[in-house]
Each structure stands twice: as structure tokens, then as C-alpha cells.
Amino acid sequence: MKEPAFMKDKIIDEIKVYFYEERGEELGDLAAENMYAWLTEQIAPYYYNQGVHDARQIVEQKIVNLDEDISSLERPLR
């Protein structure tokens, strides 16, 4: 999924601010874009996979709850 251009621009601006405030370095547009590309390629998949894992856990819990709800509807047999 491709992010909107304004999101990419905002992230690149944040990278430039971070480097300036934390390291006292002024990053140019190209350096900040390169850092953005590296972060996107190398680090983002870890966060993405964690999101998938978290979503899976939520869905599994919902299924357990749904199964319990459906089971509670059963009527006892004589």
C-alpha cells in the first residue's frame, strides 16, 4: 500500500527535525528521503508484522467469544 504524498512529506520533515534537535545536524531533502527509504524498507516490516500479529490475536479472541456466545444458546437435552 502506498502512502499519500503528504504523509511521506510529513515523515521526511520529522526526520529532518529529529536530526537537527537530537544530533545538531541539518539534513537535506535527499539525505532525509534516503533515511525515509531505508526506514521503510528495513524497519517498517517489523512494525507491519507486529500489527498483523496483533490483529490475528484480536480476531482469535473474538472467535472464542463468539463460540462461547453461540454455545450458551444451546438448550439442554432430556
Side-chain angles (χ1 to χ4, degrees), residues 58-72:
I58 290 169
V59 169
E60 287 173 353
Q61 186 58 50
K62 297 283 186 188
I63 290 171
V64 167
N65 292 343
L66 184 59
D67 185 52
E68 290 171 355
D69 290 345
I70 291 171
S71 293
S72 73

Side-chain angles (χ1 to χ4, degrees), residues 5-18:
F6 73 89
M7 287 177 60
K8 179 180 177 182
D9 293 343
K10 175 71 174 150
I11 294 168
I12 289 171
D13 287 343
E14 291 295 331
I15 291 170
K16 290 160 84 174
V17 168
Y18 172 81

Side-chain angles (χ1 to χ4, degrees), residues 9-35:
D9 293 343
K10 175 71 174 150
I11 294 168
I12 289 171
D13 287 343
E14 291 295 331
I15 291 170
K16 290 160 84 174
V17 168
Y18 172 81
F19 270 80
Y20 183 75
E21 290 179 353
E22 298 295 323
R23 301 176 54 129
E25 298 176 34
E26 285 196 38
L27 240 52
D29 292 336
L30 181 59
E33 272 197 61
N34 288 341
M35 177 61 72

